[in-house]
Amino acid sequence: MQRRKFVIGMGALASGAAAMVGTGAFTSVTAARDIDVAVADDASAYLRLKGTDSHYVTDDGDGGTLALDLSGDNATPSGGSGVNPNAVTEFGSLFEVANQGTQPVTVEVTKSGQHPGAVAFEDGNGDELADGIELDVGESADISLVVDTTDDAIDVDEQLVDSVVFHAVDT
């Protein structure tokens, strides 16, 4: 009888130990998978950026990328070649941003350069894209540009920003 208790006890101990250790456990996996990503021009992308017929909106000539040129190199037909010093200059409705994706997004913009704070992108309500604007699927917003050169640290012919990045984050 003692032998049976011993055998049953050993069986219970073995099954309990197996349950504690578990089987098939792992701490790390590396698995290669295929992914298809298509790069589309700005007008066909999930976040569409489509310029108006403004003189300041150009195509960089490399796949339909929207570009804004307010530099002295882009003189207007009447002779203008930049924004005024010590002034606030507004450029209304330069381009449209549209959500062509599958879910609502918040669109934000970040800028880099010597004076990124001097350049602001705003929607039709005057809300700045740095604060984020929400776009439902299929919704769009006209975007304007405000350039503020009233800071004494801004010199004539100085480049204010080097790059602008639009971010669309699902909401």
Side-chain angles (χ1 to χ4, degrees), residues 21-27:
V21 171
T23 58
F26 56 88
T27 58

Side-chain angles (χ1 to χ4, degrees), residues 46-68:
Y46 295 130
L47 184 68
R48 181 182 75 195
L49 302 173
K50 183 179 179 194
T52 63
D53 291 333
S54 171
H55 171 78
Y56 306 107
V57 179
T58 61
D59 183 320
D60 71 354
D62 188 25
T65 303
L66 179 76
L68 302 178

Side-chain angles (χ1 to χ4, degrees), residues 67-124:
L68 302 178
D69 187 358
L70 304 176
S71 72
D73 295 336
N74 188 21
T76 64
S78 54
S81 63
V83 297
N84 296 55
N86 290 324
V88 176
T89 307
E90 297 182 23
F91 298 88
S93 192
L94 288 178
F95 61 96
E96 178 185 76
V97 60
N99 179 4
Q100 298 186 144
T102 60
Q103 57 197 15
V105 296
T106 298
V107 178
E108 300 171 344
V109 64
T110 57
K111 304 160 290 209
S112 64
Q114 288 290 98
H115 302 283
V119 177
F121 292 92
E122 297 179 347
D123 70 3

Side-chain angles (χ1 to χ4, degrees), residues 82-90 118 146-152 154 160:
V83 297
N84 296 55
N86 290 324
V88 176
T89 307
E90 297 182 23
V146 178
V147 180
D148 182 349
T149 59
T150 57
D151 185 346
D152 291 336
I154 298 174
L160 302 179

